[in-house]
Amino acid sequence: EAGQGHQEVQLCPGMSSGLSAGGGGQEGPAVVHIQVNDVNEFAPVFREPQYHAAVTEGKIYDSILQVEATDQDCSPQYSQICNYQISTSNTPFAIDRNGNIRNTEKLSYDRQQLYEIQVTAWDCGQKRALHTVPVHIEVKPVCKPGWQGWSKRVDYEPGTGSKQLFPKMHLETCGGPLSSVRTTVELQTSHIGKGCDRETYSEKSLQKLCGASSGSTDLLPAPSTATNWTFSLVTDSGRDSDLIFRFDGRQAAKIPDWVVPQNLTDQFTIATWMKHGPSPGLRAEKETLLCNSDKTEMNRHHYSLYVHNCRLVFLLRRDFSRADSFRPAEFHWKLDQICDKEWHYYVLNVEFPVVTLYVDGVSYEPYLVTDDWPIHPSQIDMQLTVGACWQGGEVTRPRFTQYFRGSLSGLTIRPGRIETQKVISCLQACKEGLDIHSLESLDKSIKFHFNPAQSIVVMEGEDLDHMNTALRKVSYINSRQFPTAGIRRLHISTSVQCFGEDTCISIPDIDAVVMVLQPSEPRITITGVERLSWPASDLRAPGGIALFQDLHIISTVKKTDNPTQHHAVRRPGVLEEIIHNLDYCDVLVLGEELRAEQESLQLQRSVLTGKHLDATNSTSGMSIYGVDSMSNYEQVIREVRYFNFQPSHVTERRFRLTCSELNGRYTSNEFTLEVSVGGLRSTGDPVSHMVAPPQYMQLIHHPSITNEMYPGVPSAATVVIVMCIAALVVVVVIGIYRIHITHQQEIRLSESSKDSDLTWDSAALNITVNPMEEAAEDVTEEEEEDDDDEDEEEDDDITSGESDDSEEEADVQLPTAKNKNWQKTTMSF
């Protein structure tokens, strides 16, 4: 056998071996050596059916893994493995004689994540393995500490409440032990509106909504015919109905005298939104927001608000106490917000001699107060300006000076009152921010806090798993029903501490965006009766007439079903009624304005009680404003009444009603109402006020209504008329008989003079006249007056039974009037 390469055989004496033990014929024991040579009959076999290894990209390894093969041959020549070879071509790997596999170049995770190569082996007899062995090498990316599992964009659907921003995010530390983690999430909204998504209602509506004191004066209203002093200013359009005025150092506005508060005392409030940056140039000049100075002759500044060297200064030299004393006159604040080129809300509460500044709801006391003498009252008129200060004392030409450079919005002044911090916070509150979803489930070991605007949240903890869970709960919320669409940027920064090590891992910052999708645009629709006819007597009545008794306001949005698959067909949108607020409704008089001496629109103040609404009135119409529900607006508008004390001068009036949400961002249809003025009518005579029934009302026709439209009288009505006439004849006959008896008795008792008899007869004739006979006798007279009567009927818009000419005619037509009353009771709507 190959396993016994050398054997020793002993031959016994006497046995014939056939072998020669030596050179002679000597007989005896002999040793025979037989060598068996090995044959290479087995091929190498690998110890494992396959091999696996993992490497990190970007590194050159001396040995990634080692493969091993064996051979069952016994001899060293055939049992040893002398060579390994990679049979797969074009791979970045090599193998040595010992089976160690290494990479020949740096591997890239982005290029290829997994390699599979085939390896074979040879023994020293050059016999190759019958089967190759697969080797799987996984390429892993370089472990980079940082946040993983987050999306760069998060879509936010309006009206969905709070939405988690990073539901699968976790922090990769690459195995490094950490003692604490601190993460800051910042929502960046400076490019939205006035610093964030706020309500874009008008300043008056917002103040009413937040419960601010009434009586404020808006110094920067929207340009219009009535507020024409802002026409020359530059407005920043495209800001979601936010009214913003930009000043570049060349614009200013004079406030008309009738707008300037004349009852300014030692207690008042000035409020404004301001966005301002550092002044250009080495020498900064004063930049005036608001200035009250002499209109002519002199250049005295009575009070002003200006910026100088990134300091906000309020000057107050008006004499309230009439005391000739040195007193505080200039109040200085030095704040970073004044020149950071961001929007901030400034409120100046003046309770002289104390002046407090609120910036974004946080109060600040002045760091410097300087004294001066007050300006005593004089005969010189004053001029209030915005954006610069008026120099009325210039000899050659009065002019503006100290121009403002920046943006302003909502500049108001309120005399006699100061605002509470609660109202100030409401006026400047953001409607979007960061939130923590399911806050009660947050681990108690996590410390967190928000800034006042809820645009920054800071979290800190020692346990990495708890921190991962906490960051997944950070959410975005926008409470506006119709938010401003667009991008909000997110910035996440993280710092870590390690256990007593000099160096620790660094976590890179990440940036993402929240995309607020476009909200469905509401369609506000006003419906109601569009034509009314009222008698002149009702217009003169103390209560006037209600113009919009049948008014309805609804709002709808178009809902579109999103397809679940890419090839699905999008179905047409359907209208869905929604509920939202309105911020103003205007009733505009079309054509000639109301004549103040004889016409007016009126609204009882009690109707506004308990609502966030107010109203202004003029000869051109009425404006109802304030943030309130559509139902409350309906209730108030239905109470608007029209008075006309001389209706003969006006035969028709037209009114237009429009409503708005979000300061004109969404407006309703223009609802036009026509009111025609009819003639006088007797008491109890029905006149239809509804010429055109509204769309939501169904008119049910009855036979009595149809018959009334044609000549002739229904049979039942004829019976009633005959019965009424018969009863009237009986009453007249009885009256004549009783008068006659009385007359005979008086003749018997005493004889009177002929003149008195005639007087008595004349009186008797007035009483005993037969209306039926007189009606017959007056036929000729009535025919002569037909033309005049017809003209009067057309002008006064009354029925043929209506007349104030004589009591006899009224009595004659009374049955017909009763008949018409009976017919109206059969009308159903």
Side-chain angles (χ1 to χ4, degrees):
E1 292 182 0
Q4 299 175 347
H6 182 274
Q7 291 187 2
E8 182 175 302
V9 181
Q10 182 175 7
L11 298 178
C12 296
M15 292 182 63
S16 175
S17 62
L19 296 176
S20 176
Q26 182 181 359
E27 294 181 0
V31 177
V32 179
H33 296 275
I34 303 173
Q35 182 174 345
V36 180
N37 293 327
D38 189 15
V39 177
N40 192 3
E41 56 183 320
F42 295 100
V45 176
F46 287 95
R47 290 187 179 275
E48 303 292 338
Q50 57 184 349
Y51 291 86
H52 295 274
V55 296
T56 302
E57 65 174 343
K59 295 177 63 177
I60 296 293
Y61 290 84
D62 293 333
S63 177
I64 297 175
L65 80 162
Q66 183 181 23
V67 296
E68 185 180 1
T70 61
D71 194 315
Q72 294 184 9
D73 289 310
C74 294
S75 64
Q77 179 182 2
Y78 300 132
S79 64
Q80 292 182 4
I81 306 299
C82 287
N83 192 21
Y84 292 93
Q85 184 179 0
I86 297 175
S87 59
T88 305
S89 60
N90 299 323
T91 61
F93 300 98
I95 190 169
D96 61 15
R97 296 173 62 89
N98 297 321
N100 294 306
I101 299 176
R102 60 182 178 85
N103 57 318
T104 57
E105 62 183 51
K106 293 181 180 180
L107 305 181
S108 172
Y109 175 81
D110 295 332
R111 187 168 61 244
Q112 189 168 343
Q113 293 84 41
L114 181 65
Y115 291 89
E116 180 178 344
I117 59 178
Q118 299 293 329
V119 177
T120 187
W122 275 271
D123 59 17
C124 293
Q126 296 301 308
K127 190 163 189 174
R128 181 176 177 173
L130 297 179
H131 303 285
T132 59
V133 65
V135 178
H136 301 278
I137 299 177
E138 180 183 2
V139 180
K140 291 186 176 180
V142 175
C143 182
K144 299 176 182 178
W147 293 103
Q148 296 183 2
W150 55 277
S151 300
K152 291 185 177 181
R153 168 172 166 162
V154 179
D155 288 341
Y156 181 81
E157 182 76 27
T160 55
S162 179
K163 181 171 184 178
Q164 291 176 256
L165 297 173
F166 316 109
K168 298 180 180 179
M169 189 167 72
H170 66 278
L171 182 62
E172 175 61 60
T173 62
C174 296
L178 304 178
S179 60
S180 67
V181 180
R182 177 186 174 92
T183 301
T184 302
V185 182
E186 180 182 2
L187 178 69
Q188 299 173 348
T189 59
S190 59
H191 61 291
I192 301 294
K194 295 192 289 286
C196 69
D197 207 2
R198 295 183 170 93
E199 295 292 6
T200 56
Y201 295 116
S202 66
E203 202 63 30
K204 278 189 175 182
S205 296
L206 273 178
Q207 290 174 358
K208 190 77 176 176
L209 180 65
C210 293
S213 305
S214 59
S216 67
T217 301
D218 190 358
L219 301 180
L220 287 176
S224 67
T225 305
T227 58
N228 55 9
W229 67 88
T230 57
F231 268 123
S232 62
L233 302 179
V234 179
T235 57
D236 193 356
S237 59
R239 289 274 184 170
D240 190 23
S241 301
D242 251 347
L243 187 61
I244 296 172
F245 293 89
R246 288 193 294 109
F247 297 84
D248 61 359
R250 291 176 294 180
Q251 295 93 11
K254 290 183 180 180
I255 309 300
D257 293 338
W258 61 270
V259 177
V260 179
Q262 302 298 327
N263 55 341
L264 203 64
T265 64
D266 58 350
Q267 189 178 68
F268 59 93
T269 299
I270 297 175
T272 185
W273 286 95
M274 182 177 73
K275 181 180 180 181
H276 181 263
S279 302
L282 298 176
R283 183 177 177 273
E285 297 181 354
K286 293 181 179 179
E287 300 178 51
T288 302
L289 285 75
L290 179 68
C291 181
N292 184 265
S293 58
D294 291 326
K295 185 177 291 187
T296 58
E297 300 183 26
M298 304 182 71
N299 293 328
R300 299 176 302 174
H301 295 184
H302 298 261
Y303 64 87
S304 66
L305 181 64
Y306 62 90
V307 175
H308 189 213
N309 287 325
C310 291
R311 292 170 174 82
L312 188 66
V313 183
F314 178 62
L315 171 69
L316 182 62
R317 296 187 62 196
R318 295 196 63 169
D319 185 12
F320 300 115
S321 61
R322 298 186 181 276
D324 192 8
S325 61
F326 214 50
R327 60 172 212 179
E330 278 191 344
F331 304 83
H332 299 249
W333 291 269
K334 185 178 180 181
L335 303 172
D336 294 336
Q337 294 93 320
I338 297 172
C339 286
D340 65 357
K341 297 183 180 180
E342 301 290 347
W343 279 105
H344 299 284
Y345 187 56
Y346 298 82
V347 177
L348 209 63
N349 272 350
V350 179
E351 287 182 291
F352 192 81
V354 178
V355 180
T356 304
L357 174 68
Y358 289 86
V359 181
D360 298 333
V362 181
S363 62
Y364 297 91
E365 298 298 328
Y367 81 95
L368 175 65
V369 179
T370 58
D371 296 341
D372 202 347
W373 298 102
I375 297 177
H376 298 295
S378 65
Q379 300 301 319
I380 302 175
D381 292 334
M382 290 177 287
Q383 177 65 62
L384 184 64
T385 56
V386 174
C389 210
W390 180 251
Q391 296 289 91
E394 296 289 337
V395 178
T396 56
R397 183 173 61 89
R399 61 186 178 86
F400 284 112
T401 187
Q402 300 175 4
Y403 284 98
F404 177 71
R405 293 177 176 84
S407 298
L408 297 176
S409 179
L411 177 58
T412 61
I413 184 169
R414 178 180 290 102
R417 298 282 184 89
I418 63 171
E419 290 298 2
T420 63
Q421 189 161 3
K422 180 180 179 181
V423 171
I424 294 172
S425 298
C426 174
L427 290 172
Q428 61 88 37
C430 285
K431 295 300 180 181
E432 64 178 341
L434 298 175
D435 189 25
I436 296 180
H437 182 74
S438 184
L439 180 61
E440 64 279 358
S441 63
L442 193 66
D443 192 89
K444 295 181 179 180
S445 65
I446 301 297
K447 300 176 183 178
F448 70 93
H449 68 270
F450 289 91
N451 68 332
Q454 280 195 227
S455 60
I456 298 176
V457 59
V458 180
M459 290 186 166
E460 188 173 359
E462 297 179 354
D463 186 86
L464 183 59
D465 291 337
H466 290 164
M467 276 296 294
N468 288 334
T469 303
L471 263 295
R472 295 188 193 113
K473 294 180 178 293
V474 175
S475 307
Y476 170 81
I477 187 171
N478 194 318
S479 60
R480 293 189 67 191
Q481 190 172 6
F482 306 107
T484 303
I487 288 176
R488 276 73 164 165
R489 294 179 177 84
L490 289 167
H491 183 76
I492 298 94
S493 58
T494 305
S495 61
V496 297
Q497 291 184 354
C498 299
F499 291 97
E501 295 184 8
D502 295 336
T503 60
C504 195
I505 61 174
S506 177
I507 307 298
D509 296 351
I510 62 174
D511 292 289
V513 296
V514 176
M515 175 60 74
V516 178
L517 304 180
Q518 187 72 36
S520 299
E521 184 171 341
R523 181 180 179 183
I524 306 170
T525 305
I526 303 175
T527 58
V529 176
E530 296 181 354
R531 290 182 295 277
L532 295 176
S533 178
W534 287 86
S537 57
D538 284 358
L539 298 176
R540 290 195 299 263
I545 63 170
L547 294 177
F548 306 102
Q549 275 189 324
D550 300 293
L551 179 79
H552 286 271
I553 305 175
I554 63 171
S555 184
T556 55
V557 294
K558 183 176 290 187
K559 294 291 186 180
T560 303
D561 294 334
N562 292 324
T564 57
Q565 298 178 356
H566 295 290
H567 61 273
V569 179
R570 186 181 294 269
R571 293 187 296 176
V574 295
L575 291 180
E576 177 181 313
E577 185 173 350
I578 62 170
I579 302 297
H580 59 77
N581 290 329
L582 300 175
D583 61 348
Y584 70 80
C585 286
D586 289 339
V587 180
L588 179 65
V589 179
L590 300 180
E592 183 184 358
E593 290 190 358
L594 299 179
R595 301 176 182 180
E597 66 278 1
Q598 69 183 53
E599 295 177 278
S600 67
L601 293 174
Q602 295 185 16
L603 181 66
Q604 295 291 333
R605 299 297 300 182
S606 59
V607 178
L608 303 174
T609 304
K611 302 178 179 66
H612 296 291
L613 298 177
D614 208 341
T616 58
N617 197 1
S618 68
T619 56
S620 60
M622 178 179 291
S623 179
I624 303 167
Y625 63 90
V627 182
D628 215 326
S629 64
M630 290 186 291
S631 61
N632 279 349
Y633 266 94
E634 278 185 359
Q635 295 175 20
V636 172
I637 296 172
R638 288 171 183 171
E639 298 299 324
V640 175
R641 309 188 77 83
Y642 170 61
F643 291 81
N644 192 333
F645 305 105
Q646 296 179 359
S648 59
H649 294 172
V650 180
T651 59
E652 186 179 84
R653 272 292 183 193
R654 296 174 68 238
F655 302 92
R656 177 181 294 162
L657 173 64
T658 56
C659 294
S660 157
E661 165 66 337
L662 296 175
N663 200 21
R665 180 178 174 185
Y666 305 116
T667 55
S668 70
N669 61 310
E670 294 182 348
F671 176 77
T672 302
L673 172 66
E674 296 181 5
V675 179
S676 59
V677 181
L680 301 176
R681 64 182 175 91
S682 57
T683 305
D685 182 29
V687 176
S688 176
H689 299 156
M690 296 187 298
V691 178
Q695 299 174 0
Y696 55 85
M697 183 179 294
Q698 182 180 2
L699 186 62
I700 304 175
H701 294 279
H702 289 270
S704 60
I705 300 177
T706 307
N707 293 336
E708 187 183 5
M709 298 172 60
Y710 297 94
V713 182
S715 59
T718 303
V719 174
V720 174
I721 292 175
V722 171
M723 292 177 64
C724 291
I725 294 175
L728 181 60
V729 170
V730 172
V731 171
V732 171
V733 171
I734 293 174
I736 293 174
Y737 174 76
R738 298 183 70 176
I739 292 172
H740 178 72
I741 296 299
T742 304
H743 177 56
Q744 294 299 327
Q745 290 175 353
E746 290 181 359
I747 292 176
R748 294 190 187 100
L749 291 174
S750 62
E751 292 292 331
S752 301
S753 63
K754 186 177 181 179
D755 293 335
S756 61
D757 290 339
L758 291 173
T759 303
W760 181 87
D761 284 348
S762 176
L765 287 172
N766 286 336
I767 296 173
T768 60
V769 64
N770 188 337
M772 299 302 296
E773 295 177 359
E774 185 171 319
E777 294 171 358
D778 290 343
V779 168
T780 305
E781 295 177 8
E782 289 178 0
E783 289 176 352
E784 294 174 354
E785 296 173 357
D786 275 346
D787 294 339
D788 297 335
D789 291 343
E790 288 175 0
D791 293 339
E792 291 179 358
E793 288 171 2
E794 291 176 359
D795 293 339
D796 296 339
D797 193 21
I798 59 177
T799 62
S800 61
E802 291 178 335
S803 176
D804 293 330
D805 291 344
S806 65
E807 292 180 358
E808 290 98 5
E809 289 180 6
D811 290 338
V812 170
Q813 298 295 336
L814 183 61
T816 305
K818 288 182 179 179
N819 181 39
K820 284 184 175 292
N821 282 334
W822 171 77
Q823 288 176 356
K824 185 173 183 179
T825 60
T826 65
M827 300 173 70
S828 301
F829 295 92

Coordinates of all heavy atoms in Angstrom, one line a residue, residues 53 243 252 432 597-598 684:
A53 N -17.6 37.8 3.6 CA -16.7 38.8 4.3 C -17.3 40.2 4.0 O -18.1 40.4 3.0 CB -15.3 38.8 3.8
L243 N -50.4 93.8 3.9 CA -50.2 95.2 3.4 C -48.9 95.7 4.0 O -48.8 96.0 5.2 CB -51.3 96.1 3.8 CG -51.3 97.5 3.3 CD1 -51.4 97.5 1.7 CD2 -52.5 98.3 3.8
A252 N -42.5 109.6 1.8 CA -43.1 110.0 3.1 C -44.5 110.3 2.8 O -44.9 110.6 1.7 CB -42.3 111.1 3.8
E432 N -47.9 79.3 12.8 CA -47.1 78.1 12.4 C -46.0 78.0 13.4 O -45.5 79.0 13.9 CB -46.7 78.1 11.0 CG -45.7 79.2 10.7 CD -45.2 79.2 9.3 OE1 -45.3 78.2 8.6 OE2 -44.7 80.3 8.8
E597 N -79.6 114.5 4.2 CA -80.7 115.1 4.8 C -82.0 114.4 4.7 O -82.9 114.6 5.5 CB -80.9 116.5 4.2 CG -81.4 116.6 2.8 CD -80.2 116.4 1.8 OE1 -79.1 116.2 2.2 OE2 -80.5 116.4 0.6
Q598 N -82.0 113.3 3.9 CA -83.3 112.6 3.7 C -83.1 111.1 3.7 O -84.1 110.4 3.8 CB -84.0 113.1 2.5 CG -83.3 112.7 1.2 CD -84.1 113.2 0.0 OE1 -84.3 114.4 -0.1 NE2 -84.4 112.4 -1.0
G684 N -103.6 98.0 6.2 CA -104.1 96.7 6.0 C -104.1 96.3 4.5 O -104.4 95.1 4.2

